[in-house]
């Protein structure tokens, strides 16, 4: 097909699949519309990782980078733009003779009433790809914008779409049938050999000193709360949270020796990578 939807689960290689499609269809000027992190990190990394032939990456962020398109080159051009840039410069983009448009995180144009969605769906090219791990969030009507952009002849207007696909269970089955003809969906367990997840839960006791410090701060908080109870609703939420965070930080301290032990055993000694999540920067500093 000249237009396709890729609705695979996150982490299954949607960007790689889009790059392969561009190569297979011999597209020479490709516009990728993505998030800020997608434009700055994900797509340049993926293109550099998977392509070895002659190509050029142009990140469209200002007029200087737009002017780079005026230079003649035989290289395949990957034009990377954020949603906000593409919406603001839609008229200019329509005049770039694009071979392929890739909408990454395409659910961002689900609202067909928004100016951004209408601007982006005005972009056209012989080849189109829409990528999203969550094509819609709330109701079937949200699919109309992306289907109208990718398949305008099959999904010409919202009224018809709503009448045919959104009113009842029969409409849902009909919509599923139409999507199956136009969409690739892969789940992680189909394409990746993932290791078994092992969960470990540990209870950690406070020392007498730590418990004494915690109970003292807890007592101060209770007294403060009781004295301000009538005016709590008028106080900013950050005031209450700030006092609660003091308690949370004290509760973290007993865990630090155990976390250090776990990181040493499962990460450092085995020369592996690890991720440590915590709410507080000063806790990270301790590690």
């Amino acid at each position: 097909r000249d237009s396709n939807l890729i609705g695979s689960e996150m982490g299954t290689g949607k960007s790689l699949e889009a790059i392969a499609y561009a190569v297979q269809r011999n597209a020479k000027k490709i516009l990728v519309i993505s998030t800020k992190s997608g434009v700055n990190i994900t797509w340049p990394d993926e293109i550099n990782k998977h392509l070895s032939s002659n190509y050029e990456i142009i990140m469209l962020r200002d007029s200087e980078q737009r002017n780079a398109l005026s230079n003649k080159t035989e290289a395949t051009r990957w034009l990377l733009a954020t949603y906000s840039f593409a919406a603001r410069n839609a008229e200019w983009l329509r005049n770039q003779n694009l071979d392929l448009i890739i909408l990454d995180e395409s659910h961002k144009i689900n609202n067909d009433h928004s100016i951004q969605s209408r601007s982006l769906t005005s972009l056209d090219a012989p080849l189109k790809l829409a990528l999203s791990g969550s094509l819609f969030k709330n109701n079937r009507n949200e699919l109309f914008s992306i289907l109208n952009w990718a398949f305008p002849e099959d999904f010409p207007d919202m009224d018809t779409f709503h009448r045919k696909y959104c009113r009842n269970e029969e409409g849902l089955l009909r919509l599923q049938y139409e999507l199956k003809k136009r969409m690739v969906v892969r789940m992680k367990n189909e394409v990746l050999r993932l290791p078994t997840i092992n969960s470990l839960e540990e209870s950690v006791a406070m020392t007498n000193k730590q418990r004494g410090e915690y109970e003292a701060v807890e007592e101060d908080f209770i007294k403060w709360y009781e004295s301000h109870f009538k005016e709590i609703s008028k106080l900013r939420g950050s005031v209450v949270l700030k006092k609660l965070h003091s308690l949370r930080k004290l509760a973290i301290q007993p865990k630090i020796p155990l976390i250090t032990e776990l990181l040493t055993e499962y990460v450092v000694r085995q020369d592996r990578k690890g991720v440590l999540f915590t709410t507080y920067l000063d806790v990270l500093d301790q590690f």
Side-chain angles (χ1 to χ4, degrees):
R1 286 181 173 274
D2 293 337
S3 294
N4 301 274
L5 308 181
I6 301 179
S8 302
E9 191 177 6
M10 185 176 70
T12 53
K14 291 189 289 293
S15 54
L16 170 57
E17 203 160 1
I19 291 169
Y21 178 81
V23 172
Q24 192 264 337
R25 298 303 299 266
N26 197 32
K28 293 299 182 183
K29 190 180 279 189
I30 303 135
L31 171 64
V32 179
I33 302 174
S34 185
T35 60
K36 189 174 182 179
S37 62
V39 168
N40 293 328
I41 301 172
T42 306
W43 281 94
D45 286 352
E46 290 290 296
I47 293 167
N48 287 321
K49 179 180 178 181
H50 298 297
L51 292 182
S52 58
S53 58
N54 190 25
Y55 64 87
E56 179 183 11
I57 299 175
I58 301 175
M59 298 181 188
L60 299 173
R61 288 190 288 242
D62 53 39
S63 57
E64 182 180 345
Q65 287 152 325
R66 293 198 327 184
N67 292 338
L69 292 177
S70 62
N71 301 325
K72 291 185 178 180
T73 176
E74 295 181 359
T76 297
R77 287 174 163 182
W78 289 85
L79 315 181
L80 311 182
T82 63
Y83 273 83
S84 57
F85 178 94
R88 290 196 309 270
N89 297 275
E91 183 177 355
W92 177 79
L93 287 169
R94 284 195 292 271
N95 295 321
Q96 296 309 306
N97 298 317
L98 300 166
D99 296 315
L100 167 63
I101 297 175
I102 299 171
L103 283 185
D104 187 20
E105 308 290 351
S106 61
H107 51 268
K108 289 186 174 293
I109 66 166
N110 279 354
N111 183 2
D112 68 311
H113 297 298
S114 73
I115 295 175
Q116 176 173 283
S117 291
R118 292 186 176 185
S119 179
L120 293 173
T121 52
S122 71
L123 300 176
D124 199 18
L127 304 173
K128 300 176 186 177
L129 282 180
L131 283 57
S132 176
S134 53
L135 282 171
F136 69 97
K137 294 182 179 180
N138 299 308
N139 57 67
R140 286 170 259 171
N141 281 332
E142 295 176 9
L143 281 170
F144 171 74
S145 288
I146 197 64
L147 291 173
N148 173 255
W149 173 74
F151 314 101
E153 295 181 359
D154 300 328
F155 303 94
D157 61 82
M158 172 60 92
D159 290 340
T160 303
F161 182 83
H162 181 79
R163 187 177 65 254
K164 290 180 67 174
Y165 304 113
C166 302
R167 285 184 172 179
N168 49 39
E169 193 72 19
E170 182 181 347
L172 175 61
L173 294 174
R174 189 181 297 122
L175 179 59
Q176 289 174 336
Y177 173 75
E178 295 298 334
L179 287 174
K180 282 181 179 180
K181 294 191 293 183
R182 298 170 173 85
M183 183 165 70
V184 173
V185 179
R186 293 184 174 90
M187 308 304 287
K188 283 185 179 179
N189 59 7
E190 297 178 65
V191 298
L192 300 175
R193 293 182 179 179
L194 298 173
T196 302
I197 296 175
N198 296 316
S199 298
L200 178 67
E201 294 185 9
E202 292 278 358
S203 297
V204 181
M206 290 182 173
T207 64
N208 291 335
K209 181 180 178 181
Q210 289 170 337
R211 181 170 294 280
E213 292 175 351
Y214 182 89
E215 289 177 349
V217 174
E218 183 182 46
E219 186 176 347
D220 287 343
F221 173 76
I222 292 171
K223 289 179 179 178
W224 175 86
Y225 188 86
E226 289 175 343
S227 64
H228 292 81
F229 181 74
K230 293 182 179 179
E231 55 192 81
I232 284 292
S233 60
K234 299 178 183 178
L235 293 174
R236 289 184 303 170
S238 58
V239 176
V240 181
L241 286 174
K242 187 175 181 180
K243 291 183 174 294
L244 286 172
H245 282 314
S246 298
L247 282 170
R248 291 186 66 191
K249 286 184 179 181
L250 287 171
I252 289 173
Q253 292 306 311
K255 305 172 187 175
I256 288 179
L258 174 63
I259 296 171
T260 303
E261 182 182 325
L262 293 173
L263 288 174
T264 302
E265 180 179 351
Y266 292 106
V267 179
V268 179
R269 289 176 181 166
Q270 298 184 39
D271 194 24
R272 301 170 72 182
K273 294 181 180 180
V275 180
L276 172 64
F277 291 101
T278 180
T279 309
Y280 307 106
L281 290 174
D282 51 352
V283 173
L284 283 181
D285 289 339
Q286 293 185 61
F287 287 99

